[in-house]
Amino acid sequence: MPTAALLVAPSVVFLAALFLWPIAVGVGQAFTGADGPTLAHLRRMVDDPYFWTATRNTALLIVVLIPLQFAFALTMALLLRERPRLSSFYFYVWCVPLAISDLAAGLVWLSIFADRGYLNSALSRFGLGDGFAWLSYDNQTSMFVAVLLAELWRATSLVLVIVVAGLQNIPRDYDEAAAVFGATYWQRLRHVILPQLRPSLQVALILRTILGLQTFAVAQALTGRSFPLLVGETYQWYVTLQNEHVSAAIALVILLMSLGTAVVYLRVLRDPATGGIR
């Protein structure tokens, strides 16, 4: 056996054990019943009204959350690039949510949006009402906003770290040369900074979208099943309803959505100058 194959073999075995085998088991659970191959589990999944609500909520969360996260992270990273006073302190403060678990973040925001939480207490103190049921099951919009704000606070710092690291690899000479030739800040941002930041944005976009599709603990702490998400439905079917087959089918839907969005991002964000990915 060639030396190169021997060197690569441990990594191949590790990846197969860590990724390929669980995927194969999941596919088997989703398409296999007591009598052999079957589509009954998929039919049961699509017949469940919670599945379509969870799919809609998950897609809506991704569509709204990801642009907001990137807008905030890019703005904060560009501010840090100008090296204001106490910039290192600001960076560490903005990255504090990285040290907080998903469930803990959900509980923090639960204390804000609960019926007797900080938000209603503040509104009552300023004479703006006796309180609002932000997390009531019949207030889908307010529940969505609560989950959105919690995820925005919790996960934007991850994008910030990636973008800051990418900005540090961009030589300031290009930016300064464009300024000497009369380019405005917005022109330099569009034509100098962002094109060189493309690889970092690509990584952050793929990573955050995949993690966004896996949002669970924050929504579970805030709303339970009143605002269902796809990962939450895998939990419900596996733990509460004791049906690992339907749970595996929903997990495969999440996997396909993750792979599909990753492929789209890789094609859309590839470097047009080389026809490939930088």
Side-chain angles (χ1 to χ4, degrees):
M1 182 178 293
T3 303
L6 290 174
L7 294 174
V8 173
S11 299
V12 173
V13 173
F14 175 77
L15 290 175
L18 192 62
F19 295 106
L20 297 182
W21 175 248
I23 291 175
V25 172
V27 172
Q29 287 181 331
F31 292 98
T32 303
D35 299 325
T38 179
L39 297 177
H41 309 307
L42 293 180
R43 286 194 294 268
R44 191 169 181 184
M45 177 187 73
V46 298
D47 289 340
D48 181 15
Y50 277 102
F51 170 73
W52 296 109
T53 303
T55 303
R56 181 201 64 195
N57 291 342
T58 303
L60 182 61
L61 184 65
I62 293 298
V63 169
V64 178
L65 176 65
I66 299 303
L68 287 176
Q69 284 188 327
F70 274 77
F72 281 117
L74 188 58
T75 300
M76 291 187 291
L78 291 173
L79 289 174
L80 291 174
R81 190 171 186 259
E82 300 302 320
R83 297 189 179 278
R85 186 179 180 184
L86 301 177
S87 59
S88 297
F89 172 75
Y90 298 148
F91 178 74
Y92 289 124
V93 169
W94 287 339
C95 290
V96 164
L98 278 177
I100 300 176
S101 68
D102 296 6
L103 182 59
L107 294 176
V108 168
W109 284 89
L110 179 62
S111 67
I112 296 174
F113 286 106
D115 291 347
R116 296 186 179 182
Y118 294 114
L119 180 56
N120 280 338
S121 298
L123 293 175
S124 178
R125 180 171 299 180
F126 287 105
L128 299 177
D130 297 328
F132 183 77
W134 302 99
L135 302 178
S136 175
Y137 71 92
D138 57 349
N139 293 328
Q140 291 290 316
T141 301
S142 61
M143 282 195 296
F144 171 74
V145 172
V147 174
L148 175 68
L149 290 176
E151 272 294 295
L152 189 65
W153 176 81
R154 185 192 66 82
T156 300
S157 51
L158 176 61
V159 183
L160 174 64
V161 170
I162 296 174
V163 174
V164 168
L167 286 174
Q168 290 179 345
N169 292 325
I170 299 177
R172 287 185 173 269
D173 298 347
Y174 301 149
D175 195 16
E176 294 171 355
V180 169
F181 283 99
T184 65
Y185 177 80
W186 297 109
Q187 289 174 329
R188 300 199 306 273
L189 176 63
R190 179 182 178 184
H191 299 289
V192 178
I193 298 176
L194 289 181
Q196 297 182 81
L197 197 59
R198 187 197 307 270
S200 298
L201 293 177
Q202 187 181 68
V203 170
L205 187 58
I206 293 174
L207 183 61
R208 268 308 305 145
T209 301
I210 292 175
L211 293 177
L213 289 170
Q214 299 173 8
T215 300
F216 168 60
V218 168
Q220 187 72 15
L222 284 171
T223 66
R225 209 182 184 188
S226 298
F227 187 80
L229 296 173
L230 283 174
V231 174
E233 287 306 293
T234 65
Y235 173 82
Q236 290 292 334
W237 279 99
Y238 192 86
V239 176
T240 305
L241 302 176
Q242 297 289 308
N243 190 324
E244 70 273 11
H245 300 288
V246 178
S247 178
I250 300 175
L252 289 180
V253 171
I254 299 172
L255 175 62
L256 292 176
M257 292 175 66
S258 300
L259 292 176
T261 53
V263 170
V264 170
Y265 290 152
L266 290 173
R267 291 183 63 86
V268 171
L269 295 177
R270 61 184 176 183
D271 186 7
T274 61
I277 302 169
R278 291 184 60 183

